[in-house]
Amino acid sequence: MKREDTRRIYVGNVPVGHGARVTVQSMTNTDTKDIEKTVQQIKEFESVGCDISRSAINDMEDAKAIPIIKSMTNVPFVADIQFHYKLAIAAIENGCDCIRINPGNIGGVDKVRQIVDCCKAHKISMRIGVNSGSINQKFIDKYHGVNVDSLCYSCLDQVRMIEDMGFNDIKLSLKSSNVNMAIDSYEKISQLCDYPLHVGITEAGPSTKGIIKSSVGIGSILSKGIGDTIRVSLTGDPKEEIVVGRQILKSLGLLKEGIEIISCPTCARTKIDLIKIVNEAEERLDKIDKNIKVAIMGCVVNGPGEAREADIGIAGGNGVGLIFKDGEIIKKVKEDMMVEALIEEIERL
Ligand code: SF4
């Protein structure tokens, strides 16, 4: 089922599925009950464009912190629960906007039913999260190991249990740290049901490696038209996950907010300090609220031509910069004035 055709659910006021804009999530790594730190981190998430934030609820104090955290932040709050159904119920009663559980580790159908009944009563959605490390043994045996089939059918089994309880405000995640398995699993589950999908590559790893793994995995899944909300998992500052997630969406044309920079890799034709110029421009362009493409190219031989898709740009000459618009050179400035001149032209657009 492509993202246009999935069911629509809501996480707070944010729509997920059925053609809604693909949203970006992250998860706090503060102690949730440390309200000051958790609120500060969620506000940092908001400042870089987070759509939905998730926090682990490990005890009753965490659950009781939810209404205060929510009153001080703007993005919907997802409560992440492992094992304890009473914590799930407390989180829902304390106002979380969505609950993330793995029904397989809640301790039986009756306990899951109590969580589902509470979701119904409070009109909130649920994310069913299954990862390759928590597949029901029954499916591992049936499909001969941890693989795409055992992951998908184990997830579907949990979905059917929740459906039988008369609830379907659910989204699904099928996580694997193996990129190929994740891609194939999301593709398969999208053919087996019409629930919106929360896409991520779990335990992707530290910075550069994690970014590459997540970009390849999440990007491949999204490019198939599958996936309604994403979370990049990095071992690092979770704010970075949102920056990377938004960049993945922008690369695929799924997010058109803000300025997209196209810049060349530099070569022997580059006669200006292009890397410094791009870094300086990026910092200043981040503060401008326009939906445009800006090209910053090393030379005029290929610059304007290579960046024909851009709305405006700059190409280096020998110690000079040539500003171009719609592929035509409109102005020449000295190298040290390039960024300033570019910003001036962009503000005029
Ligand atoms: Fe080299 Fe010019 Fe291409 Fe940049 S735009 S990589 S300087 S040829």
Side-chain angles (χ1 to χ4, degrees), residues 148 151-152 174-189 199-202 217-218 221:
V148 171
L151 186 61
C152 287
L174 287 174
K175 292 203 182 169
S176 171
S177 56
N178 177 314
V179 172
N180 288 319
M181 185 170 158
I183 295 169
D184 292 347
S185 300
Y186 275 102
E187 196 166 15
K188 178 151 190 146
I189 201 79
V199 174
I201 304 296
T202 199
I218 296 173
I221 294 162

Side-chain angles (χ1 to χ4, degrees), residues 207-348:
S207 195
T208 307
K209 284 185 184 140
I211 291 171
I212 293 168
K213 213 167 164 183
S214 291
S215 303
V216 171
I218 296 173
S220 301
I221 294 162
L222 291 174
S223 72
K224 292 175 191 284
I226 302 162
D228 304 273
T229 182
I230 66 168
R231 188 229 172 161
V232 172
S233 299
L234 299 175
T235 310
D237 182 351
K239 191 170 87 174
E240 184 71 7
E241 297 179 349
I242 299 154
V243 175
V244 175
R246 286 175 62 88
Q247 202 52 50
I248 293 172
L249 296 186
K250 281 185 187 174
S251 309
L252 291 166
L254 293 169
L255 181 65
K256 297 198 168 60
E257 286 170 25
I259 294 178
E260 184 184 344
I261 300 177
I262 299 160
S263 59
C264 80
T266 74
C267 73
R269 290 194 193 97
T270 321
K271 302 288 180 219
I272 53 168
D273 188 349
L274 191 80
I275 296 168
K276 181 170 163 250
I277 289 164
V278 169
N279 287 339
E280 205 181 309
E282 185 182 27
E283 207 181 310
R284 296 198 52 189
L285 292 174
D286 268 352
K287 298 180 183 81
I288 299 177
D289 187 21
K290 285 190 197 271
N291 294 336
I292 54 168
K293 276 188 187 173
V294 175
I296 306 177
M297 311 299 281
C299 78
V300 75
V301 178
N302 293 324
E306 280 181 13
R308 206 162 276 135
E309 299 293 307
D311 297 286
I312 194 153
I314 197 148
N318 196 354
V320 294
L322 301 140
I323 299 200
F324 56 89
K325 206 171 158 185
D326 304 322
E328 300 294 328
I329 294 166
I330 57 163
K331 204 173 180 181
K332 185 175 177 178
V333 290
K334 285 191 180 148
E335 182 176 351
D336 60 356
M337 293 304 293
M338 279 174 72
V339 175
E340 200 55 51
L342 180 67
I343 302 287
E344 253 175 46
E345 289 299 327
I346 289 170
E347 278 171 347
R348 248 185 238 145

